[in-house]
Amino acid sequence: MNAVVTLPERRERPLVIDAVPVLDSGRFEQMQRIASVMARSPLVPESLRCEAEGQGQNRKVAMLAPEVALANCFLVVNQAVRWGLDPFAVAQCCSVVHGRLMYEGKLVAAVLDAKLGVQLSYAWNDRTGDAFGIQVRGPKDRDGHDRVITGTVGDWKTTGNNSPWGKPANHRKMLAYRGSREWVRLYEPAILLGVYTPDEMDDMQDTARETRGLPFRQIQDTAPRAAPAGPPRRISVAAPPAKVETAQVSDAEADAEAEAEAEACVTQFEADVQHARSEQDIEECTGIVASLEEGDRLSRDQRQRIEIATEAARARIVAEAQPADDDIEQPAIDPSDPDFQRGQQDRRDGLKKCVIAAIRESEERFLKWKAGYDSLDGEAA
């Protein structure tokens, strides 16, 4: 009983204190806790937590493994800490494109303003098409040299799906937007080290820099500079330009963001309504797409998918409510009933579903409509 028991030596984790947040033990653990909460939230962008395959009705979304989703969110948190921004606000502006973490342009513009605190000025030329260009000028360096970037639509535009460069009306904003990033990449590279936006990834994927030349041209400090074609419209902003341009640029990207949000909501509705057990359950599921329908933000295909999923759920609920005993006599339906006749007429017109909301929402009326619709099964098409 008095024997001495030797306990195994307990290894203690070394405490590392480092100026780099991700290398500091205490800050790393805090960042990991934030990433863990973020990975479990259904409100963060789908691409950080899920993996999608296919498009439209063939689109399938599968949840990533918890450790993979946590790692994705940790990358976002680490970048937000580097910038001194709210990680959850940064997460709302992130996506995964071609296997790389991408940041929306409005976020990049906000970082330029927050981290640099400098005033950039913009001057556009009077040309059109791919020759339409911009000159971005920032504060002089410590030696008094100008720091200038120029570029054109032909240098920087992308041609991918939902590209904001697709509309000529957006070119003025996109030039200022892209020019600001290129200026920072050349003169203040530490701010955006390793950070890319979707249009820049399109450039790299399509090898645009090999086919269109350099993405930007530095104005030589000692060489004489020729005036741009036509009288330039030079705009000197009194406030940091990122704030002025950000709102406009976010409008240029709004279509792509709205489409992604609508597609995610419709997919979620299709999954949820499959488990509905009553009309009230269907109404609750509809709440996720109600605001999109009211704001006319759904495509025709998405509206049809919602209607098909809703009718399939109602038909399933009605079928499940029927008695299991086939010998039970079903109440007779009067063929002269207007809903019965409407079902027959819809069948003759080639409709695949009931288009009258009042009938769909009433179980009794829907049964009469369906009886009339099914009564013509034996007729030739």
Side-chain angles (χ1 to χ4, degrees):
M1 295 181 61
N2 296 327
V4 178
V5 178
T6 303
L7 297 177
E9 181 180 357
R10 182 178 179 182
R11 296 184 59 186
E12 295 184 359
R13 278 187 304 180
L15 178 62
V16 179
I17 300 177
D18 197 287
V20 180
V22 75
L23 301 180
D24 186 281
S25 300
R27 299 178 72 179
F28 182 93
E29 293 177 357
Q30 177 65 8
M31 291 161 60
Q32 192 173 35
R33 285 192 288 268
I34 297 174
S36 178
V37 173
M38 184 182 296
R40 292 195 295 267
S41 172
L43 301 181
V44 300
E46 184 182 76
S47 59
L48 296 179
R49 303 178 296 106
C50 308
E51 184 177 16
E53 295 182 358
Q55 295 181 350
Q57 296 183 356
N58 298 325
R59 186 173 184 268
K60 298 181 179 179
V61 179
M63 296 296 294
L64 294 172
E67 58 272 16
V68 176
L70 175 61
N72 289 345
C73 293
F74 187 88
L75 293 177
V76 175
V77 174
N78 181 51
Q79 189 64 62
V81 171
R82 284 184 54 201
W83 284 336
L85 301 177
D86 184 342
F88 291 93
V90 173
Q92 297 301 321
C93 301
C94 295
S95 60
V96 178
V97 180
H98 303 307
R100 297 284 297 273
L101 192 60
M102 300 292 104
Y103 299 89
E104 294 178 3
K106 59 185 178 183
L107 175 62
V108 174
V111 172
L112 302 186
D113 179 23
K115 298 294 288 185
L116 291 182
V118 300
Q119 297 182 8
L120 300 179
S121 61
Y122 305 88
W124 292 265
N125 62 31
D126 286 337
R127 299 183 182 181
T128 59
D130 287 353
F132 182 48
I134 192 173
Q135 181 184 84
V136 182
R137 181 183 298 273
K140 295 183 178 181
D141 61 18
R142 64 184 62 185
D143 297 325
H145 297 151
D146 290 334
R147 298 194 293 180
V148 180
I149 284 293
T150 63
T152 65
V153 172
D155 292 334
W156 291 337
K157 73 176 181 180
T158 58
T159 57
N161 293 333
N162 299 320
S163 171
W165 294 91
K167 300 178 181 179
N170 292 336
H171 287 174
R172 181 183 178 91
K173 295 177 288 186
M174 295 307 297
L175 283 173
Y177 187 36
R178 183 68 181 263
S180 300
R181 296 200 306 269
E182 297 293 355
W183 187 93
V184 173
R185 289 198 188 283
L186 180 63
Y187 296 112
E188 300 286 349
I191 300 298
L192 297 182
L193 181 62
V195 174
Y196 294 94
T197 52
D199 58 327
E200 292 175 310
M201 280 301 297
D202 288 340
D203 271 349
M204 288 185 279
Q205 289 292 324
D206 300 335
T207 62
R209 294 185 179 181
E210 296 179 2
T211 59
R212 293 200 298 260
L214 296 176
F216 54 82
R217 299 186 299 276
Q218 180 179 1
I219 303 299
Q220 298 297 328
D221 298 324
T222 57
R225 292 190 293 272
R233 300 186 298 274
R234 188 177 185 83
I235 300 178
S236 298
V237 293
K243 290 184 177 179
V244 176
E245 296 294 323
T246 296
Q248 298 178 352
V249 173
S250 62
D251 290 339
E253 297 180 347
D255 291 343
E257 296 179 9
E259 289 177 5
E261 178 185 357
E263 180 61 27
C265 290
V266 173
T267 301
Q268 186 65 45
F269 170 81
E270 291 175 323
D272 292 345
V273 79
Q274 293 179 7
H275 304 286
R277 291 292 178 267
S278 65
E279 188 67 31
Q280 182 178 359
D281 291 345
I282 295 178
E283 292 299 326
E284 292 178 358
C285 294
T286 306
I288 194 173
V289 293
S291 61
L292 298 177
E293 291 181 323
E294 293 173 359
D296 197 24
R297 295 168 56 190
L298 295 175
S299 66
R300 179 181 300 177
D301 176 68
Q302 290 170 335
R303 293 179 184 276
Q304 291 178 348
R305 287 165 55 191
I306 292 174
E307 292 179 1
I308 292 173
T310 301
E311 290 186 12
R314 288 197 173 103
R316 175 178 49 76
I317 293 172
V318 171
E320 292 175 352
Q322 297 298 323
D325 189 356
D326 296 334
D327 295 333
I328 297 178
E329 184 179 357
Q330 299 295 330
I333 297 179
D334 185 5
S336 64
D337 186 277
D339 295 334
F340 184 93
Q341 295 179 353
R342 178 69 189 192
Q344 291 182 323
Q345 184 62 42
D346 288 348
R347 182 63 177 269
R348 294 190 184 98
D349 293 341
L351 298 179
K352 301 297 183 182
K353 59 183 180 296
C354 179
V355 297
I356 300 179
I359 296 179
R360 294 198 309 265
E361 294 171 358
S362 172
E363 180 177 341
E364 180 181 359
R365 297 188 63 185
F366 183 80
L367 286 175
K368 294 178 181 179
W369 178 91
K370 191 174 188 305
Y373 189 93
D374 294 339
S375 68
L376 301 182
D377 284 343
E379 293 188 10

